[in-house]
């Protein structure tokens, strides 16, 4: 089997794996929808007091809420992706088997995570978004090109999310327990991705900093494209730049970890 077909099969396996958890998916859809309703009415109250906060009108702000709910698990903002499993394999020593396989570790987990993300977008993202569009007045574009640009930004956001979480997981080679760094990454993701509030709302220097961090590529960047508030090419460049930088860092850390495993095994 060629390498391309191998990783395609891994991606399909990742999709099927998450598709088997039907009860968990239904519970997740319910949770995202309820949380979306709570946030929507909170935003309504906030935008009634501060119209055009962050450069959005109220309809755009409500659209932001439901897009964030659609992308929450797709982007793994709060974890529960492959990183827990990879950390456990490092802790138990099973990672040595993975490193000796005729497949690249980084690409293997990337393919699996892409399959997971596609299922989460379809399985847990579309229904809450459709419910939000039915219940509230959302600003959704009619142009197919805008939707295609949005999906391109979503794909790049997934790549940035994976690249960062792969780095987090590899720190388990040097840490006794990866739980602490996962919690720190989770907190940073919640605060800096725009999951709770759009990053455009953050004032002054703080706003400039959070909009320049990789987490801005996860929710804020795709949403602004769909709302017509960002240039797609500039957004793609921002996301791709972070993806390349984080993937390169992951490749370097993987090489160092592999050398460590080989030395210890020898």
């Amino acid at each position: 089997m060629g390498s391309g077909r191998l990783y395609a099969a891994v991606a399909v396996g990742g999709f099927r794996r998450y598709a088997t958890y039907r009860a968990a998916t239904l519970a997740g859809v319910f949770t995202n929808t309820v949380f979306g309703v709570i946030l929507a009415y909170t935003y309504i109250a906030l935008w009634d007091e501060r119209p055009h906060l962050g450069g959005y009108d109220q309809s755009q702000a409500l659209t932001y809420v439901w897009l964030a709910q659609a992308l929450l698990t797709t982007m793994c903002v709060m974890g529960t992706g492959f990183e827990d499993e990879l950390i456990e394999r490092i802790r138990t020593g099973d990672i040595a088997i993975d490193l000796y396989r005729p497949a690249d570790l980084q690409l293997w987990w990337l393919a699996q995570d892409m399959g997971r993300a596609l299922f989460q977008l379809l399985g847990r993202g579309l229904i809450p978004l459709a419910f939000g569009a039915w219940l509230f007045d959302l600003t959704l574009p009619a142009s197919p090109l805008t939707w295609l640009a949005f999906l391109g930004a979503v794909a790049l956001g997934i790549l940035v999310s994976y690249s960062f979480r792969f780095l987090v997981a590899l720190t388990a080679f040097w840490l006794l327990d990866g739980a602490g760094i996962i919690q720190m990454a989770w907190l940073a993701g919640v605060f800096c991705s725009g999951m709770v509030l759009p990053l455009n709302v953050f004032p002054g220097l703080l706003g400039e900093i959070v909009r320049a961090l990789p987490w801005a590529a996860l929710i804020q960047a795709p949403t602004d494209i769909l709302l017509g508030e960002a240039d797609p090419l500039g957004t793609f460049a921002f996301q791709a730049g972070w993806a390349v930088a984080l993937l390169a860092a992951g490749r370097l850390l993987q090489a160092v970890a592999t050398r460590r495993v080989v030395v210890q095994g020898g």
Side-chain angles (χ1 to χ4, degrees), residues 171-182:
T171 61
F173 277 104
W174 293 271
L175 301 175
L176 294 177
D177 186 2
I181 194 168
I182 283 183

Side-chain angles (χ1 to χ4, degrees), residues 12-256:
V12 171
F15 184 96
R16 289 177 175 173
R17 176 182 180 183
Y18 281 85
T20 59
Y21 301 113
R22 298 174 185 173
T25 299
L26 290 174
V29 168
F30 177 78
T31 301
N32 284 124
T33 303
V34 170
F35 192 56
V37 170
I38 294 172
L39 272 181
Y41 281 109
T42 303
Y43 273 42
I44 288 173
L46 181 58
W47 259 259
D48 280 343
E49 292 294 324
R50 297 282 303 277
H52 299 287
L53 180 63
Y56 300 137
D57 60 30
Q58 189 175 93
S59 178
Q60 287 178 311
L62 290 172
T63 307
Y64 187 98
V65 168
W66 291 102
L67 287 174
Q69 291 305 304
L71 295 176
L72 175 60
T73 52
T74 302
M75 298 297 179
C76 244
V77 174
M78 300 178 70
T80 69
F82 73 94
E83 56 273 19
D84 291 328
E85 182 179 350
L86 180 53
I87 287 174
E88 180 63 17
R89 293 189 68 81
I90 294 172
R91 189 188 67 80
T92 61
D94 291 340
I95 191 66
I97 300 173
D98 300 338
L99 292 173
Y100 282 109
R101 285 175 180 166
D104 183 78
L105 184 72
Q106 189 181 49
L107 292 179
W108 176 281
W109 288 102
L110 172 59
Q112 186 179 106
D113 198 58
M114 285 293 182
R116 174 209 60 80
L118 179 59
F119 173 78
Q120 297 289 18
L121 180 63
L122 298 176
R124 286 188 60 171
L126 293 183
I127 295 178
L129 180 59
F131 181 83
W134 172 72
L135 192 60
F136 299 95
D137 179 25
L138 304 188
T139 302
L140 296 175
S143 171
L145 292 179
T146 303
W147 283 101
L148 285 175
F150 167 73
L151 291 176
V154 169
L156 285 170
I158 293 168
L159 186 58
V160 172
S161 172
Y162 163 78
S163 305
F164 181 79
R165 288 179 290 118
F166 184 73
L167 275 173
V168 168
L170 289 187
T171 61
F173 277 104
W174 293 271
L175 301 175
L176 294 177
D177 186 2
I181 194 168
I182 283 183
Q183 290 177 353
M184 291 175 61
W186 174 79
L187 289 172
V190 169
F191 182 78
C192 299
S193 68
M195 188 192 86
V196 178
L197 274 176
L199 300 183
N200 296 342
V201 173
F202 287 50
L205 180 61
L206 176 61
E208 294 179 11
I209 291 174
V210 293
R211 288 191 292 271
L213 295 175
W215 293 283
L218 308 188
I219 292 177
Q220 185 72 49
T223 301
D224 273 345
I225 286 181
L226 197 68
L227 292 175
E229 295 293 324
D231 170 45
L233 293 181
T235 302
F236 293 160
F238 168 76
Q239 292 176 298
W242 270 116
V244 169
L246 292 171
L247 284 171
R251 177 68 60 182
L252 177 61
L253 202 61
Q254 176 183 322
V256 173

